[in-house]
Amino acid sequence: MRVSLHRLAGALAALTLASSGLGALTVTAATPAAALDNGVALTPPMGWNSWNSLGTAVTEQQVKQTIDFMSANGLVAAGYNTVTIDDGWSLSHRSDQSTDLVKNSYGAMQLYDTNGYPVWGTDGTGNDPTSGHLVPNSAYPSQSVNGQTVNGIQYLAWYAHSKGMKFGLYGTDTYTTCQGHPGSLGHESTDASDFVSWGVDYVKYDDCPYGPQIVGPDGHNDYTQGEGKELTQSMYARVQTFQRALDAASAAQGRPKVVLSVSAQPVHTGVPYLLNANDPARTDPRILAAGTPQYQAPGYAPTGVWCGQVANLCRIGGDRGSDLNGVLYGQQLGTALQYPGNVRPGSWNDLDMMFAGWNYPYGVYGLTTNDSYNKSFTDDESRTELSILSMMAAPLISGADLRTAADSQKTVNGTTFSTGINASSLAIYKNTDVIAIDQDAKDQPATLVGAPPATQTAPVILKRQLANGDTAVAFVNQDPANWQMPSTTLAQLGLTAASYRYKELWTGATGSTTASLGGNWIPAHGVALYRLTPAPAYAPSGIVGDGRYHAIGAGGSNGKALEVQGGCAANVGGNSDINTYQAANAAQQWTFTANPDGTVRITDNCPAHSVLAAGGGVGTAYLLNPSAGNPWQEWKVQQNTSTGTLTITNTGNGLTLDTSGTTTGSNGMTNPANSSAAGQNWTLLS
């Protein structure tokens, strides 16, 4: 729910209701709803929404600028392929009316009885007098597309599609939107049909009930709940009606199905004694299993219980402010951890729009504003937000101003600045390793490692299992002012392999561990995000000490064998390389002799019987006369127990035998250990 610009401030007079006349509640039998499975949003959607940076003033031109920027700067290629216009895009009346919606004193749309007299509608009655279609306002002028005149929304959908993108639009399940424009309640079929015909791929569906406080017969104050159908139909039922209308419209028009995002975590709880006894929320098995607390009604908060039954994206918390706290444990993260069962292909917990890369649009902190709450996001905060959302398998919907510096330039109180995303923030968005965590096929959100944080500034550690058997681990520094050094152990992570290789996904640092992870300094509001892979189990190779000569082939080289470069006629002191395997070639034959200290001497079968040696660092592996005890002539040879490949590590420099390439003549050399380097995995050819 987006906060209204015109809701009445202050307390409203309580409206005491007499018995509603609905009588005792009788729940009738109904078919339990199955989880929504309409074949869309099979991974968390990614894209952009206009609200955070452009609010209700967003225009057709600004949306085009955003589409162009996202397409030209690699965001679409990275997966951010949906651009959505938020509240405020339509006129304040439908096509069948010539004047704007009539509002009552509470800012709600005026309802009428069957005789045409105004009613409050707080007993669940009242009729919506409006009819017709939603109409784009003047910020979205009609355009010509392929010789046909289309409205501005339809034009932007076409324009997004022309750039390989999808297009999203805002609506609500209430009589009015949060900004007072016509909502879709009672007009679901019309609006869904229009959206589909306009080319809309994604709908952000909000919940904005206006009205007086409602006090029940027992004196309990339910506060603002809405009016009319907003009271007799649960949020669950109203969303379900629109979702089914979207699917029906798509089928009727032969168009793809539309992704539906419920963007509201309702602040209201429903009015139990007004909610229809036959409301489908009353028979949903998930809601029944969770139970409904006193003074609440099924099908309202928390959406994490039921939203995946009727929508593809589900807001599980309130609107976030423009600071990092909104996504930390005390707010969205803590809530998301409670509802892992709502996360599956086609259903995702939504932690609200991202502020990563966001620049405060109404001034420059320290120059035209001193409001610290609205300070622009730092790169550390942007990395932290993106890490948390990815760990929770949440949608990555940016609210930053994704336009060029020129397009996003503003002047406030004589100071000119740009709200557009900068280069470092753009790189954060496009981190493919982090996006891969978010989009991982296992669809399993992170869990908390250890106890919940004792304070709002205590660090948080998250663990997420990934589809290929890897594990993602995030260390989140929640402290806005101080650096921290959180750490954990493999045992605390529930990881049982003897060793794990890791990559820190923001710095690119790699390494391995047999016991602990983390323990490095993390800046204020910063994060460290690791991907851990179980290290292969190794055993001493059986070729060591067997007294035989063997040929070994470099990985990725199509079986080219390690040899004395130039053959046996080459002088001692020459290099090694790889060449087409020849079974009788003595220069490609090697014996692996165990030294008393457990190391291995690798000797060729040429008459000189020179030994394979390495230098003090990265460089070519060459052939020398044997020198007992020389660490650069000694190697550790291990065999991967699952693949059978050999890893050959030099004792003197600690580097791994590799090749400079995969073609004939590529030198043998030593490089830092790298599990993804094919040349470091040697196969036994004879």
Side-chain angles (χ1 to χ4, degrees):
M1 177 188 290
R2 294 294 136 202
V3 177
S4 168
L5 297 180
H6 61 258
R7 282 206 174 183
L8 297 177
L12 299 174
L15 175 65
T16 303
L17 297 179
S19 296
S20 65
L22 294 180
L25 179 65
T26 302
V27 178
T28 59
T31 302
L36 182 63
D37 184 17
N38 61 347
V40 297
L42 300 182
T43 58
M46 299 168 60
W48 173 85
N49 179 284
S50 62
W51 184 262
N52 288 0
S53 294
L54 300 174
T56 58
V58 61
T59 66
E60 183 181 287
Q61 180 186 24
Q62 291 171 330
V63 177
K64 282 188 63 179
Q65 291 168 345
T66 303
I67 291 170
D68 291 342
F69 182 91
M70 294 175 70
S71 177
N73 288 276
L75 287 169
V76 177
Y80 299 92
N81 64 358
T82 303
V83 57
T84 299
I85 300 175
D86 211 285
D87 199 355
W89 62 268
S90 74
L91 293 178
S92 293
H93 59 270
R94 289 182 172 269
S95 62
D96 286 356
Q97 286 75 52
S98 58
T99 58
D100 291 348
L101 296 175
V102 176
K103 308 289 182 62
N104 60 33
S105 61
Y106 294 102
M109 187 177 74
Q110 182 62 64
L111 302 181
Y112 299 86
D113 65 17
T114 54
N115 295 315
Y117 294 109
V119 296
W120 287 110
T122 50
D123 60 354
T125 64
N127 300 313
D128 171 7
T130 65
S131 61
H133 303 265
L134 296 172
V135 181
N137 65 36
S138 60
Y140 304 94
S142 297
Q143 303 282 353
S144 178
V145 175
N146 298 326
Q148 178 184 359
T149 299
V150 297
N151 70 48
I153 295 299
Q154 191 172 2
Y155 167 70
L156 285 173
W158 169 83
Y159 192 77
H161 296 160
S162 74
K163 299 285 187 176
M165 299 178 69
K166 298 178 181 180
F167 181 75
L169 200 60
Y170 175 95
T172 68
D173 66 357
T174 44
Y175 292 114
T176 64
T177 72
C178 294
Q179 305 306 316
H181 298 263
S184 291
L185 180 58
H187 304 271
E188 289 88 355
S189 293
T190 297
D191 293 353
S193 181
D194 286 344
F195 285 9
V196 170
S197 69
W198 294 345
V200 171
D201 307 287
Y202 175 105
V203 175
K204 175 181 174 179
Y205 210 48
D206 214 337
D207 180 72
C208 300
Y210 287 79
Q213 296 181 25
I214 294 180
V215 178
D218 63 355
H220 176 75
N221 191 339
D222 289 291
Y223 297 96
T224 297
Q225 298 287 317
E227 58 178 357
K229 290 182 180 179
E230 295 168 350
L231 300 174
T232 59
Q233 296 179 6
S234 67
M235 184 176 166
Y236 175 113
R238 286 177 271 135
V239 172
Q240 183 182 69
T241 298
F242 188 70
Q243 195 283 319
R244 289 177 173 175
L246 284 172
D247 277 0
S250 296
Q253 298 179 37
R255 292 174 178 260
K257 290 184 178 180
V258 176
V259 174
L260 183 60
S261 168
V262 171
S263 72
Q265 168 67 18
V267 294
H268 52 298
T269 59
V271 183
Y273 49 87
L274 290 180
L275 189 62
N276 191 316
N278 297 318
D279 193 287
R282 294 192 181 279
T283 54
D284 182 275
R286 286 179 178 261
I287 295 175
L288 292 175
T292 304
Q294 185 182 17
Y295 297 126
Q296 295 188 23
Y300 288 88
T303 54
V305 170
W306 55 263
C307 180
Q309 310 297 87
V310 295
N312 303 111
L313 279 70
C314 305
R315 279 283 300 280
I316 46 80
D319 291 351
R320 284 181 49 201
S322 55
D323 65 346
L324 188 67
N325 287 335
V327 79
L328 297 180
Y329 186 85
Q331 295 191 42
Q332 301 277 11
L333 172 58
T335 303
L337 287 166
Q338 299 176 46
Y339 302 108
N342 198 46
V343 177
R344 55 191 182 275
S347 171
W348 310 101
N349 286 334
D350 183 0
L351 279 64
D352 204 3
M353 293 167 291
M354 294 190 293
F355 283 91
W358 183 80
N359 292 306
Y360 182 54
Y362 305 112
V364 178
Y365 183 72
L367 291 179
T368 62
T369 177
N370 291 313
D371 182 1
S372 60
Y373 182 77
N374 286 312
K375 290 174 66 174
S376 298
F377 256 46
T378 67
D379 282 349
D380 285 326
E381 290 171 329
S382 294
R383 283 185 282 265
T384 298
E385 180 184 44
L386 203 61
S387 297
I388 289 174
L389 296 182
S390 295
M391 289 293 286
M392 300 311 298
L396 302 181
I397 309 294
S398 173
D401 194 344
L402 303 183
R403 295 183 296 157
T404 65
D407 288 337
S408 59
Q409 185 171 291
K410 291 189 174 185
T411 300
V412 176
N413 296 334
T415 298
T416 299
F417 60 98
S418 170
T419 59
I421 193 170
N422 60 36
S424 60
S425 295
L426 188 61
I428 289 170
Y429 269 87
K430 295 191 292 184
N431 186 312
T432 55
D433 288 332
V434 177
I435 292 172
I437 301 296
D438 181 75
Q439 301 286 300
D440 186 76
K442 194 173 180 65
D443 312 312
Q444 182 175 312
T447 57
L448 188 66
V449 178
T455 67
Q456 290 185 343
T457 58
V460 169
I461 304 175
L462 300 171
K463 177 186 77 171
R464 182 178 178 189
Q465 297 298 329
L466 304 176
N468 72 339
D470 287 359
T471 303
V473 179
F475 296 91
V476 179
N477 180 1
Q478 298 195 113
D479 195 318
N482 299 294
W483 290 50
Q484 295 179 331
M485 297 179 67
S487 64
T488 189
T489 66
L490 297 182
Q492 289 169 332
L493 292 169
L495 301 180
T496 57
S499 176
Y500 287 82
R501 298 191 298 267
Y502 65 77
K503 180 179 181 181
E504 203 290 310
L505 304 186
W506 291 114
T507 64
T510 59
S512 61
T513 180
T514 59
S516 63
L517 186 70
N520 301 312
W521 283 108
I522 298 175
H525 269 179
V527 69
L529 179 59
Y530 294 89
R531 183 166 185 148
L532 283 75
T533 302
Y538 287 98
S541 174
I543 65 174
V544 175
D546 68 357
R548 297 171 53 198
Y549 283 96
H550 300 275
I552 57 174
S557 69
N558 292 321
K560 291 182 174 61
L562 182 71
E563 69 170 8
V564 178
Q565 190 176 54
C568 287
N571 295 324
V572 173
N575 297 328
S576 63
D577 67 1
I578 56 173
N579 207 338
T580 302
Y581 172 54
Q582 298 169 316
N585 187 347
Q588 295 181 359
Q589 298 171 355
W590 309 85
T591 186
F592 297 78
T593 305
N595 295 314
D597 60 0
T599 60
V600 176
R601 185 173 67 256
I602 303 174
T603 307
D604 64 50
N605 196 23
C606 293
H609 293 305
S610 55
V611 298
L612 189 68
V618 172
T620 302
Y622 45 95
L623 288 307
L624 295 177
N625 289 319
S627 174
N630 185 337
W632 286 277
Q633 296 184 7
E634 297 174 344
W635 303 83
K636 180 179 181 181
V637 181
Q638 291 186 303
Q639 189 166 28
N640 186 314
T641 57
S642 60
T643 66
T645 58
L646 303 175
T647 299
I648 303 173
T649 305
N650 187 259
T651 302
N653 60 25
L655 303 177
T656 301
L657 185 64
D658 198 347
T659 63
S660 62
T662 59
T663 59
T664 298
S666 297
N667 286 126
M669 62 184 304
T670 54
N671 272 321
N674 181 355
S675 60
S676 63
Q680 296 186 11
N681 295 293
W682 296 85
T683 56
L684 198 62
L685 301 177
S686 68

